[in-house]
């Protein structure tokens, strides 16, 4: 299937499917609506991860320091009441088991990525601050993506403060992390970028991009989903070809909802894998 054929297939999908595919630090091999905005869902957690590691390298936070595990957070809407996360809307019981106790920032960051914990995300944001997350997007070269609030900050959402991403910006962020793991980068030291990639490589939600790859293929991945939205962004590390970045964002009204969106993203991932030597 050619890129044109893939585009033609995606044209039949209701809604918006965006994509960015290419080698690290090289022009893209294929894009599709790469600057279209989508609700970020949990993909914004990569920027939160990078903000935390940057703060650790600057000496303002200690990754191994224990912090209180609470469920009350300041809203991004000035004057709004503090907000909380709902346990049933989360993906990780392990963080909720620590409620009322403590956990290290490093452990919370790992749960934020590998299990996509919302509670862990808000705890990390509470320590790094949203301005630090915005700085990560800027340093990565992102042009349109915004992390304006924490997860389930409905008071902020109701006045239009939201989290948005584009496929191009997610690719820029993941590419900056991967490139920074081997040479001094924009986001963190090589050691810091490598450590963040290790967290992303441990991703446990593998229903979309990873499902389109051969078993055992390494992919440093973060995905995100809410009703009508499914995204996957990652760096694929083949044994027989150079690494490449892939970001697929879907805002759709598919018949079988998230399952169909996962299959769609997996199909795109498989198509890119088949062309990995020619990207």
């Amino acid at each position: 299937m050619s890129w044109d054929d893939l585009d033609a297939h995606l044209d039949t999908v209701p809604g918006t499917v965006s994509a960015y595919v290419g080698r690290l630090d090289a022009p893209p091999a294929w894009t599709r609506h790469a600057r279209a905005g989508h609700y970020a869902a949990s993909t914004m957690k990569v920027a939160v991860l990078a903000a935390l590691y940057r703060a650790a390298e600057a000496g303002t936070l200690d990754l191994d320091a224990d912090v209180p595990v609470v469920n009350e957070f300041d809203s991004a809407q000035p004057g709004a009441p503090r907000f909380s996360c709902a346990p049933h809307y989360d993906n990780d019981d392990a963080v909720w088991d620590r409620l009322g106790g403590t956990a290290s920032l490093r452990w919370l960051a790992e749960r934020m990525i590998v299990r996509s914990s919302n509670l862990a995300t808000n705890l990390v944001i509470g320590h790094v601050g949203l301005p630090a997350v915005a700085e990560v997007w800027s340093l990565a070269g992102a042009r349109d993506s915004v992390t304006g609030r924490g997860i389930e900050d409905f008071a902020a959402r109701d006045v239009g403060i939201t989290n948005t991403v584009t496929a191009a910006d997610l690719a820029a962020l993941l590419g900056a992390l991967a490139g920074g793991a081997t040479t001094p980068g924009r986001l963190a030291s090589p050691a810091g970028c490598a450590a963040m990639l290790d967290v992303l490589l441990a991703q446990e939600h593998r229903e979309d991009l990873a499902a389109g790859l051969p078993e055992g293929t390494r992919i440093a991945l973060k995905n995100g989903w809410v009703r009508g939205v499914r995204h996957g962004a990652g760096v694929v590390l083949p044994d027989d070809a150079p690494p490449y970045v892939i970001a697929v964002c879907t805002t759709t009204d598919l018949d079988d909802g998230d399952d169909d969106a996962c299959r769609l993203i997996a199909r795109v991932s498989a198509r890119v894998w088949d062309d990995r030597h020619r990207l």
Side-chain angles (χ1 to χ4, degrees):
M1 181 187 293
S2 70
W3 299 122
D4 288 343
D5 290 339
L6 182 57
D7 266 318
H9 169 69
L10 296 176
D11 284 341
T12 68
V13 177
T16 303
V17 179
S18 303
Y20 183 107
V21 173
R23 300 267 186 239
L24 304 181
D25 297 323
W30 173 64
T31 64
R32 174 187 171 84
H33 307 316
R35 294 285 175 196
H38 297 260
Y39 177 64
S42 291
T43 57
M44 45 74 75
K45 295 172 183 177
V46 180
V48 177
L49 177 73
L52 175 63
Y53 272 73
R54 284 176 56 78
E57 289 196 344
T60 56
L61 287 175
D62 180 356
L63 289 176
D64 295 310
D66 282 337
V67 299
V69 178
V70 299
N71 187 23
E72 193 172 72
F73 308 99
D74 291 331
S75 173
Q77 167 62 7
R82 304 190 86 198
F83 71 96
S84 300
C85 291
H88 71 271
Y89 191 60
D90 210 334
N91 302 288
D92 189 10
D93 291 339
V95 181
W96 289 91
D97 290 343
R98 303 274 189 107
L99 192 62
T102 63
S104 73
L105 287 169
R106 186 190 304 276
W107 184 81
L108 290 169
E110 291 170 354
R111 304 311 294 182
M112 172 179 72
I113 298 298
V114 303
R115 290 302 306 165
S116 207
S117 169
N118 294 334
L119 181 58
T121 302
N122 285 341
L123 287 163
V124 175
I125 289 175
H127 286 275
V128 301
L130 289 169
V133 182
E135 185 179 15
V136 165
W137 284 117
S138 178
L139 289 170
R143 290 167 43 184
D144 306 296
S145 297
V146 175
T147 303
R149 59 173 175 84
I151 309 293
E152 297 181 75
D153 183 354
F154 299 128
R157 181 199 64 184
D158 290 347
V159 297
I161 301 172
T162 191
N163 300 325
T164 60
V165 293
T166 70
D169 288 348
L170 286 171
L173 178 57
L174 270 296
L177 287 178
T182 55
T183 59
R186 294 161 284 175
L187 297 181
S189 68
C193 287
M196 286 186 271
L197 282 181
D198 283 343
V199 175
L200 292 160
L201 283 163
Q203 175 62 250
E204 296 178 13
H205 292 285
R206 305 181 67 82
E207 312 86 348
D208 42 56
L209 284 180
L213 301 173
E215 187 71 25
T217 302
R218 294 192 302 152
I219 177 171
L221 166 67
K222 185 70 192 85
N223 35 29
W225 58 93
V226 297
R227 184 182 297 273
V229 168
R230 183 86 193 197
H231 310 322
V235 178
V236 181
L237 302 161
D239 290 334
D240 60 350
Y244 63 88
V245 62
I246 176 171
V248 184
C249 299
T250 72
T251 302
T252 62
D253 186 19
L254 292 164
D255 291 339
D256 197 19
D258 193 57
D259 288 343
D260 271 353
C262 286
R263 285 190 286 268
L264 178 70
I265 294 172
R267 181 173 181 176
V268 174
S269 181
R271 165 65 184 84
V272 176
W273 173 265
D274 288 344
D275 214 42
R276 65 192 181 281
H277 297 291
R278 296 180 295 275
L279 294 178

